[in-house]
Structure formats: structure tokens, C-alpha cells
Amino acid sequence: MGIEQHIDNRIVTTTLEKVVNWARKSSVWPATFGLACCAIEMICTAANRFDIARFGMEAFRASPRQADLMIVAGTVTWKMLPSVIRIYEQMPEPKWVIAMGSCTESGGIFRSYAVVQGINRYLPVDVYVPGCPPRPEALLFGIMKLHEKILKDPFLTKKYAHLEFPRATAAGKEGELK
Amino acid sequence: MSEQQTQAWLDELCAALPAGALLGRESFRGQHSLLVDPGLLVSVMKLLKDRGGFRYLADLTALDRLPREPRFLLVYHLWNHAERRLIRVKTEARGEPPTVLSVTALWTTANWHERECYDLFGVEFRGHPDLRRILTADGWVGHPLRKDYPTMGPPEVQNWVPPRYAPPAPAATPAGDEGAAS
């Protein structure tokens, strides 16, 4: 039938993109970073009852340079905003952002001069987890959604398509190979 | 300590104040307040600290009494550890911008208290060694705890873009111009 049968099912054929995306989503390391009460729920999510380690995410990195995911957990004040942006900028690509809680998403109950009315004005948010604060199950659901998004990330086929690598074709028109 | 004893102690303390310093005195439910002349604030405070034993400045804040004039009332809470007494000292901040004398020379903790008061109420403290904002973000406009400050802040606040990379500090900034910098 397929090549798998021919080689006795010891080898799986897939695409590089799928393998890399699977590896990325299987070990998304969050940055150790919490701002307010949502951070307590995030800590609960990391602890043994909800156990974020099931998804390879137990390694909360103290350095943003080793982190892939920024869970913005809590009220972002104007005073804190430069630090939030700086931590995001220090994270290496690829990186993702979860906006956790109402305050982070829209300012929440704090319609005031001191609070940023939505972190999406400054950071590219991938997943929004509403709640005040969201329960750990909600955060885990948001993380599942992020995993789905990572698995569908066309970083090889679409994201860099505009770079136009030289391709070898049967007619030999595009590339130099014949 | 009985109420009479406390009043006697307070009478003695008030009598020791410089002439003309005491503008008003109020006792309510065991709490004692003195309204003092802003020009004599430092000498009154020094006397309260040295002679009254109030070695601890528990709180320093302002009261916005819009539309009354003078608008801002400064409130100081002093605590005497040895005799376990609290006294409240009030004084008015006059002028534009409202200005009052600094008490940082008496209590070091007044440094940050006065910076906070300046940041949130816009009251200036003459004699403060380093009067700049302490709580609000860089480049803030206005004083948030004033009663005429909009709840969402002025448009400058909501449209504020944080400095991605801190610009190099200017060589010399004119004094009292920190609002325009950064």
C-alpha cells in the first residue's frame, strides 16, 4: 500500500513542520511571571492537583531567555508595563502569549487611570482566558487551545513563503539543477 | 490614663508651642488634632519630636478640599512609642502650586511620604532633597488623587507609549522640570 508497509512499519513518514510543531507544543516552557491574583491560580495550575507537568510545561523558567510562553497573569499597571514588554522582548522566538484574566484582557474592574485597558494593545496575544480569576481548569483549557494553535503553525510552508527559496523542478526552469 | 490627665498633658504641650503657631485644637473620641500655622510647621514638629516624644512619623498625607481655599490640607500622624500616644497635626498648603515646608530633616521617612504626596496631590515640599514622582509611571501627567483629575486620566495617559529602550539621560535638566523629561 504505502511506503510504511514496505518498510515494515518501523518508520513513520511525516513532514518536518509537523514534527517540529509537535516538539514545540510538547514542551512549552512558561516564564515565571505573575502580576496579581491570577498568578495564584497559575501557581495552582503548576502544582500537583492540576499538574501542568502533564503537558511538559512544568519548567517555569526564571529567565525569559529560556521561556517560550508568557502567561500575563494579573492586572497590568502603567508602571509595570515597560517591564512586561521588556520581558516579552527578551524571550527568544518562537514565543507565545496567553492573556489570563479579565484585567489583562480589558482592564477588568479597574477602569482607572492606573491600569492598562488590555495588554493586546502592546503584546500579540495568542489565547485569551477570561475569568476573575480563571480557575486552573480554564487556564489548562487555554493552554490546550494554544497547543492546537502551535500544531497548526505553518512556519515552514507559509510563514517564510515570501523568501522564495530556489526550487528544483522537473522542467528545470526555476532552479539550476537538471 | 484618664481623659483629664490627657487634656492636661495636651494643654502643657500646646503652651510650649511657639507663639501664634496653634490655629486650632480638637479632641474627638480620644483623638487629638492640632491645626498649626504652615510657616511655623517645622519648629512645631521639632518641638513635638524633641519635647513631646513623638519620634515616629506614622503617616503624612494630604486632603483635597475642592472647592475650598486653600485647597490642600496636610495631615501628619505622630506616634509616641514610650507613652503610646498619637497626635494629629494639620496644616494648610498655600500658594500655587500648593507648597508646604518639608519635615525630612526631622524624620527620614518623610522623604518618601512627601514624594508620594507630591506625586498624587501635586503638593510641593520646600526643602525636600529629592522631590520627584515615586508611584506613577515615567512621564506621568497630572496628579491622580486630586478631585478634578479624570477617572481615566488625561488623554496623554491612555495614549501613552512606554519607552521601548530608555533614552540616554540628558546631561543637565533644569530643576523642577522632571514632568517634561522622559
Side-chain angles (χ1 to χ4, degrees), chain A residues 14 37 72 84 106 108 134 149:
Chain A
T14 179
C37 32
V72 188
V84 175
S106 66
K149 186 172 181 174

Side-chain angles (χ1 to χ4, degrees), chain A residues 25-36:
Chain A
K25 82 106 191 168
S26 303
S27 67
V28 180
W29 287 1
T32 308
F33 176 64
L35 294 172

Side-chain angles (χ1 to χ4, degrees), chain A residues 78-79 81-82 85-86 89 110-117 121-122, chain B residues 134-137 140 144-145 149 151-153 157-158 160 162 164-165:
Chain A
W78 290 107
K79 185 86 167 176
L81 183 63
I85 293 175
R86 194 184 178 101
E89 286 179 344
F110 300 107
R111 185 148 181 79
S112 104
Y113 60 88
V115 174
V116 179
Q117 304 293 307
R121 292 164 64 179
Y122 300 97
Chain B
I134 189 169
L135 287 177
T136 52
W140 198 266
L145 284 191
Y149 190 85
T151 311
M152 290 300 288
V157 170
Q158 285 307 312
W160 183 60
R164 285 298 176 99
Y165 303 102

Side-chain angles (χ1 to χ4, degrees), chain B residues 6-151:
Chain B
T6 309
Q7 286 298 333
W9 160 80
L10 204 59
D11 287 340
E12 192 186 339
L13 197 64
C14 290
L17 294 180
L22 193 66
L23 302 181
R25 177 178 149 183
E26 186 189 6
S27 291
F28 179 71
R29 293 196 172 183
Q31 298 184 4
H32 311 289
S33 304
L34 308 176
L35 180 66
V36 305
D37 184 74
L40 295 169
L41 177 71
V42 174
S43 52
V44 169
M45 290 299 207
K46 185 159 173 51
L47 191 137
L48 288 176
K49 185 188 177 187
D50 296 340
R51 189 158 160 186
F54 293 99
R55 293 177 56 200
Y56 178 58
L57 176 68
D59 191 21
L60 188 167
T61 187
L63 192 64
D64 187 355
R65 306 182 293 180
L66 192 76
R68 270 178 67 182
E69 281 294 336
R71 183 171 160 187
F72 293 97
L73 185 74
L74 269 288
V75 182
Y76 301 77
H77 287 178
L78 308 181
W79 178 251
N80 183 333
H81 283 295
E83 300 173 37
R84 307 176 111 199
R85 281 196 174 113
L86 182 84
I87 197 163
R88 186 181 296 120
V89 179
K90 300 176 184 175
T91 191
E92 285 169 340
R94 296 170 184 164
E96 184 56 45
T99 309
V100 75
L101 294 172
S102 171
V103 294
T104 42
L106 296 172
W107 294 280
T108 316
T109 186
N111 189 317
W112 280 19
H113 277 101
E114 289 178 356
R115 277 180 66 188
E116 180 185 351
C117 196
Y118 162 72
D119 191 1
L120 301 180
F121 284 102
V123 176
E124 299 206 349
F125 292 85
R126 204 184 312 145
H128 192 284
D130 180 28
L131 192 64
R132 58 192 162 90
R133 292 180 181 274
I134 189 169
L135 287 177
T136 52
D138 296 341
W140 198 266
V141 178
H143 304 285
L145 284 191
R146 286 190 173 190
K147 286 199 175 166
D148 53 0
Y149 190 85
T151 311

Side-chain angles (χ1 to χ4, degrees), chain A residues 43-107:
Chain A
I43 294 163
C44 286
T45 315
N48 48 11
R49 180 168 174 186
F50 298 98
D51 198 13
I52 206 172
R54 291 178 286 164
F55 313 108
M57 296 177 70
E58 75 279 13
F60 274 79
R61 304 314 286 186
S63 166
R65 299 189 193 285
Q66 300 166 355
D68 308 302
L69 169 65
M70 185 179 195
I71 302 176
V72 188
T75 317
V76 186
T77 57
W78 290 107
K79 185 86 167 176
M80 193 65 190
L81 183 63
S83 306
V84 175
I85 293 175
R86 194 184 178 101
I87 291 172
Y88 177 77
E89 286 179 344
Q90 285 179 336
M91 285 164 54
E93 294 269 5
K95 51 189 170 184
W96 296 275
V97 176
I98 289 181
M100 179 181 181
S102 306
C103 297
T104 312
E105 289 162 13
S106 66

